[in-house]
Amino acid sequence: MKKELHIFFTALMFYTRIPCPKNIDHNPDYLNKASRYFPVIGWIVGCVAFGVYYVFNYLVAPEIAVIFSMIASVLVTGAFHEDGFADVCDGFGGGWTKEKILIIMKDSAIGAYGAIGLVLLLLLKFQGLTQLIDDSDNPKFIIYNSQFIILLLLVSAHSISRLAAISIVFTHEYSREDASSKSKPIAQSYSWREVAGAFFFGLLPLVILSCFQWQMLLVLIPVFLTRFFLARYFQKWIDGYTGDCLGATQQVCEVVFYISVIALWKFI
């Protein structure tokens, strides 16, 4: 139990800015095993995002509350995944060989592709969350407490998108050969515990949500189709994935989740 707690705090320290006990470090072995708790980080980020939205929704317009919620999720993670998404836009937008793409992605400066991609991503996320919250008040879709449904939706979006991202580690090879990469230890090896843990924690919030409306399980189809095509695209160009690719996958799959729920509610 003590070891599992250590592994969890390793995941919390690596993927968020939340303070952790002083004895927690970037131990490669623990960091590798921490992949099983990556979706749990989604639970935490989703709860924080909902909590901020819930508070500000009583003070300002819902749209402003959504913006504060987005800011909170960025602050909690330190824009970890957004940065990866921007790097992927720059790398794959400006590079035409594996070497060039990897060099561009490693550059800390953000380029035109990254800036434009990030703006469009955040706009999609804002619009998707706003419409999702509006639709959750419609008794045609869900007849239960709308705030609780919003909480489950946010937690599900963050956990499933992280499951989609970390699952690439289980099926593809790490692209970079330099051992200095911060994400390298995650890709070293994994066991059935990492796979089972990631899928259990990643799918649990959506399973709970499906108890209120079973059709919600259908959103897994577009999310994992997106994951499949992204992984195949990465494989084609750089023979695998990098940490930035995982961050980009998480961000894209999160937006796809929101859009999929909106589309689902439109037709049921």
Side-chain angles (χ1 to χ4, degrees):
M1 183 62 185
K2 184 178 180 180
K3 182 179 178 181
E4 285 299 317
L5 197 60
H6 194 128
I7 294 172
F8 167 74
F9 277 120
T10 300
L12 191 67
M13 180 185 64
F14 187 78
Y15 294 115
T16 75
R17 294 293 181 86
I18 298 174
C20 294
K22 292 183 179 180
N23 65 315
I24 305 299
D25 56 17
H26 289 90
N27 182 289
D29 183 51
Y30 283 164
L31 189 56
N32 176 254
K33 291 181 172 61
S35 59
R36 75 185 71 162
Y37 291 117
F38 188 31
V40 179
I41 303 302
W43 296 11
I44 297 171
V45 177
C47 287
V48 170
F50 172 77
V52 172
Y53 162 78
Y54 187 81
V55 171
F56 277 94
N57 192 43
Y58 285 101
L59 304 174
V60 294
E63 293 80 6
I64 299 177
V66 167
I67 294 175
F68 276 109
S69 173
M70 291 172 60
I71 292 173
S73 66
V74 170
L75 290 176
V76 168
T77 60
F80 193 50
H81 310 302
E82 288 83 358
D83 178 67
F85 174 81
D87 286 341
V88 164
C89 290
D90 280 332
F92 288 89
W96 292 98
T97 65
K98 174 182 176 179
E99 292 72 23
K100 187 63 175 177
I101 292 171
L102 293 176
I103 289 172
I104 294 174
M105 285 200 294
K106 204 170 184 65
D107 190 347
S108 59
I110 186 171
Y113 288 107
I116 294 169
L118 203 52
V119 169
L120 294 176
L121 177 84
L122 293 175
L123 283 173
L124 274 173
K125 192 179 293 188
F126 167 75
Q127 191 60 45
L129 283 168
T130 301
Q131 185 171 340
L132 204 61
I133 289 169
D134 287 341
D135 289 348
S136 67
D137 286 327
N138 192 331
K140 172 186 175 182
F141 305 124
I142 301 219
I143 60 175
Y144 302 93
N145 184 278
S146 62
Q147 296 300 318
F148 180 61
I149 296 303
I150 293 171
L151 170 62
L152 286 178
L153 284 169
L154 286 175
V155 172
S156 297
H158 284 279
S159 63
I160 289 173
S161 60
R162 282 165 173 77
L163 170 61
I166 204 65
S167 67
I168 294 179
V169 174
F170 305 145
T171 58
H172 292 71
E173 296 293 327
Y174 191 71
S175 183
R176 294 189 187 277
E177 296 179 359
D178 58 303
S180 62
S181 173
K182 187 178 180 181
S183 299
K184 181 74 173 179
I186 300 174
Q188 292 297 317
S189 63
Y190 60 88
S191 67
W192 66 268
R193 290 183 177 85
E194 280 69 60
V195 178
F199 274 86
F200 175 78
F201 294 123
L203 296 175
L204 183 59
L206 186 65
V207 171
I208 295 174
L209 186 59
S210 68
C211 294
F212 299 94
Q213 193 174 57
W214 70 266
Q215 294 95 330
M216 294 300 298
L217 292 174
L218 296 175
V219 302
L220 290 173
I221 298 174
V223 169
F224 277 90
L225 277 176
T226 301
R227 177 265 184 211
F228 171 78
F229 285 111
L230 284 173
R232 190 171 73 168
Y233 183 75
F234 299 147
Q235 182 67 36
K236 174 184 176 181
W237 284 98
I238 61 173
D239 300 322
Y241 69 92
T242 67
D244 288 330
C245 294
L246 300 183
T249 301
Q250 187 278 318
Q251 286 292 292
V252 174
C253 287
E254 182 186 341
V255 171
V256 168
F257 179 93
Y258 298 139
I259 295 173
S260 300
V261 174
I262 292 169
L264 180 67
W265 282 352
K266 184 176 181 180
F267 293 103
I268 64 173

